[in-house]
């Protein structure tokens, strides 16, 4: 019997160390490293990842929402934490936990000043986010006057950083567009720095920006460090190693006669004698129904076994007709050899969706600490 006896997500901290040091080697020594650990560290475990990176010398963390930042503080993280997309209703909690907001619109700026004033804050550090082409959240260049009007009337906040986000830094065909985003950010940053009389921390680059656009490194880079090596990054940099592996086990094996079916709605019908394995992971664990009917696969004893029939809430069934295996054998959903990007691509999604969907009932296990 293998060491894996139930569905687990293994976290390889030695790979995280490798990736962090590798990416740090790609930026100049003065450039700060911000680790994005939103969405439970891209589906892994935000506090495990952040604690390890804090010991490695990460300069900053970022999460999407205030609740995620509070979890980091409660776990004892003392490094600055940026909240990328806070909602005004949580500004008071954000300040009480010493989190730093990304303010991205006239409304969020106004509301934040109001809350910071009410809590008697002095020069509370904020990041101002500019839209340079992603068209998701961010101030526009022509909001700069408005920002300064608001700043004139308060001492409660201080612009600590300016940021923007690249839309297509992994796509070489969008090079002109990306360079234009970088140029626009530079222009905005120099106007604001001139008017402030000091230079805030500038940050624009995500992981693929680190690798593809040195001109976008500025003072700090942001990297979704939770899952290197099997995300989209894997397409252009194989030196990054996967931080997590999703594994399970064969619960039961059946042999079907021709015409017998598998699972709900009898979605799969055996064309001949077919051997199947049932695995204890389903759509409630993050294996979406779109992985069913041969769109997704697992690996058993280094061979690919396609998911047959519909994905159940707690189980999947796979075709093992040509695989020599037994009940209790290990099943790999993804790891360093069978990576999440490949499975995601085969089933029409991206690895980030596969990873962040892994539900809390899947046990997270740290398998190496170095
Ligand atoms: C998620 C996110 C990142 C990290 O992106 P990766 O491509 O995973 O490195 C950086 N910045 C912002 C604003 C984000 O939302």
């Amino acid at each position: 019997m293998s060491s894996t006896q139930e569905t687990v997500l293994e976290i390889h901290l030695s790979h995280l160390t490798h990736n962090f040091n590798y990416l740090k080697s790609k930026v100049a020594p003065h450039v700060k490293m911000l680790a994005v650990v939103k969405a439970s560290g891209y589906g892994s475990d935000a506090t495990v990842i952040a604690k390890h990176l804090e010991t490695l010398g990460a300069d900053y963390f970022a999460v999407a929402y205030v609740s995620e930042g509070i979890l980091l503080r409660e776990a004892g993280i003392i490094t600055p934490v940026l909240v990328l997309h806070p909602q005004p209703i949580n500004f008071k909690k954000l300040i009480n936990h010493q989190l730093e907001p990304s303010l991205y619109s006239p409304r969020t700026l106004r509301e934040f000043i109001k809350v910071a004033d009410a809590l008697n804050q002095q020069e509370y550090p904020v990041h101002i986010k500019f839209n340079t082409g992603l068209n998701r959240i961010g101030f526009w260049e022509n909001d700069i006057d408005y920002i300064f009007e608001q700043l004139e009337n308060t001492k409660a906040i201080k612009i600590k950083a300016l940021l923007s986000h690249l839309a297509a830094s992994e796509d070489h065909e969008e090079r002109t567009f990306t360079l234009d985003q970088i140029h626009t950010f530079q222009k905005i940053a120099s106007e604001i720095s001139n008017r402030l009389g000091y230079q805030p921390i500038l940050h624009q680059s995500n992981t693929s920006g680190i690798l593809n656009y040195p001109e976008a490194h500025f003072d700090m880079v942001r990297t979704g460090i939770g899952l290197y090596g099997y995300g989209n990054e894997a397409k252009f940099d194989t030196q990054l190693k996967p931080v997590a592996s999703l594994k399970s086990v064969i619960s039961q094996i059946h042999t079907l006669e021709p015409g017998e079916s598998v699972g709900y709605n009898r979605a799969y019908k055996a064309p001949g004698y077919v051997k199947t394995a049932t695995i204890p992971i389903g759509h409630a664990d993050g294996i979406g129904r779109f992985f069913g009917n041969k769109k997704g696969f697992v690996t058993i004893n280094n061979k690919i076994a396609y998911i047959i029939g519909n994905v159940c809430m707690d189980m999947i069934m796979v075709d093992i007709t040509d695989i020599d295996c037994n009940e209790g054998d290990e099943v790999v959903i993804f790891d360093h050899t069978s990576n999440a990007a490949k499975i995601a691509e085969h089933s029409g999604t991206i690895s980030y969706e596969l990873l962040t969907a892994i539900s809390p009932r899947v046990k997270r296990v740290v398998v190496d600490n170095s």
Side-chain angles (χ1 to χ4, degrees), residues 36 38 42 84 129 136 165 206-207 222-224 233 352:
V36 182
K38 62 191 179 191
Y42 292 58
L84 293 164
K129 182 167 196 173
R136 192 171 67 174
H165 195 30
N206 59 346
T207 306
R222 304 188 300 268
T223 169
E233 299 88 357
Y352 282 11

Side-chain angles (χ1 to χ4, degrees), residues 86-326:
Q87 301 302 310
I89 191 173
N90 300 315
F91 282 162
K92 189 174 169 194
K93 279 189 197 161
L94 179 147
I95 291 175
N96 286 336
H97 289 86
Q98 292 293 300
L99 306 168
E100 296 176 9
S102 159
L103 302 177
Y104 48 87
S105 62
R107 181 178 70 103
T108 55
L109 177 63
R110 273 194 313 270
E111 293 287 323
F112 192 79
I113 290 172
K114 219 191 290 173
V115 175
D117 265 330
L119 295 174
N120 295 316
Q121 298 299 307
Q122 294 281 323
E123 303 199 335
Y124 195 90
V126 304
H127 299 233
I128 304 289
K129 182 167 196 173
F130 281 90
N131 171 30
T132 55
L134 184 59
N135 296 330
R136 192 171 67 174
I137 54 173
F139 284 99
W140 293 76
E141 195 174 347
N142 60 17
D143 289 323
I144 294 177
D145 283 339
Y146 180 84
I147 294 169
F148 277 92
E149 277 165 32
Q150 294 294 307
L151 283 178
E152 265 165 29
N153 299 320
T154 182
K155 289 258 176 298
I157 67 164
K158 178 176 183 181
I159 297 182
K160 181 177 178 185
L162 304 175
L163 73 146
S164 184
H165 195 30
L166 299 174
S169 56
E170 73 281 9
D171 189 345
H172 296 290
E173 283 176 15
E174 294 291 355
R175 194 167 169 81
T176 307
F177 176 86
T178 303
L179 290 173
D180 198 52
Q181 276 198 283
I182 297 167
H183 179 73
T184 303
F185 183 58
Q186 254 162 346
K187 197 161 133 251
I188 291 168
S190 71
E191 181 179 344
I192 291 185
S193 303
N194 284 339
R195 289 175 68 167
L196 285 172
Y198 64 89
Q199 230 225 51
I201 299 169
L202 306 182
H203 54 110
Q204 185 176 33
S205 179
N206 59 346
T207 306
S208 38
I210 295 174
L211 298 166
N212 297 335
Y213 293 94
E215 54 275 74
H217 291 177
F218 298 105
D219 305 310
M220 181 155 80
V221 291
R222 304 188 300 268
T223 169
I225 200 138
L227 64 117
Y228 290 140
Y230 56 103
N232 295 330
E233 299 88 357
K235 280 189 195 157
F236 55 82
D237 198 307
T238 50
Q239 303 212 40
L240 296 169
K241 295 182 180 180
V243 171
S245 303
L246 184 58
K247 294 182 176 172
S248 192
V249 63
I250 297 177
S251 291
Q252 194 177 15
I253 290 177
H254 293 293
T255 302
L256 306 180
E257 312 238 330
E260 286 190 308
S261 63
V262 172
Y264 290 125
N265 312 111
R266 306 193 65 201
Y268 175 84
K269 296 218 172 96
Y273 286 94
V274 170
K275 201 163 63 144
T276 71
T278 302
I279 299 163
I281 187 168
H283 62 74
D285 302 289
I287 304 298
R289 278 176 56 97
F290 50 86
F291 289 106
N293 301 306
K294 300 197 177 171
K295 294 222 180 63
F297 57 86
V298 301
T299 306
I300 299 170
N301 295 334
N302 296 316
K303 287 197 160 163
I304 285 180
Y306 286 95
I307 299 171
I308 50 175
N310 288 321
V311 171
C312 309
M313 188 179 290
D314 314 302
M315 284 170 258
I316 53 173
M317 281 69 84
V318 300
D319 183 347
I320 51 161
T321 306
D322 299 320
I323 303 177
D324 184 15
C325 57
N326 297 299

Side-chain angles (χ1 to χ4, degrees), residues 76-89:
I77 295 293
I78 55 169
T79 302
V81 176
L82 167 64
V83 183
L84 293 164
H85 194 186
Q87 301 302 310
I89 191 173

